[in-house]
Amino acid sequence: MYTLHIEHGINDFGLWKQAFDRDPVDRGASGVIGHRISRPVDDSHYVVVELDFNELSQAEQLLANLKATVWNSPAVSPALHGAPQTRILESAA
């Protein structure tokens, strides 16, 4: 299994969550088989998202799609604050 790990600052969690729930990249059709959203207990203006995939190529493609169509558009990602930090992880156990 592969996980696209995304971290970034946000201006407003409620607004960010509405944009996430609109699903502009169609996570299901992109191969996402599960996801988790986490927030640091000491920073309400930061979010961590983990998207799980069966194939590495699916994670790479969704990351490219996020960069090309979501993160560069304030209308699509209205609560994003700063550039997301990303990493694709492979399950080791």
Side-chain angles (χ1 to χ4, degrees):
M1 181 173 76
Y2 298 89
T3 300
L4 173 54
H5 179 93
I6 305 164
E7 298 187 29
H8 58 80
I10 54 173
N11 295 322
D12 176 286
F13 182 77
L15 184 61
W16 176 87
K17 183 71 165 67
Q18 287 175 353
F20 180 85
D21 289 344
R22 281 193 295 273
D23 196 8
V25 292
D26 194 358
R27 290 183 296 274
S30 298
V32 175
I33 57 172
H35 75 273
R36 290 167 301 289
I37 299 170
S38 304
R39 296 168 65 189
V41 296
D42 61 349
D43 188 351
S44 64
H45 291 99
Y46 202 79
V47 68
V48 177
V49 178
E50 294 180 310
L51 305 171
D52 298 328
F53 301 85
N54 285 321
E55 303 293 331
L56 174 59
S57 61
Q58 294 170 317
E60 293 170 331
Q61 182 59 47
L62 185 61
L63 177 56
N65 194 5
L66 285 166
K67 289 177 180 179
T69 65
V70 176
W71 295 337
N72 65 354
S73 171
V76 179
S77 56
L80 188 65
H81 180 72
Q85 301 296 312
T86 63
R87 178 173 285 172
I88 297 176
L89 308 171
E90 181 177 18
S91 180

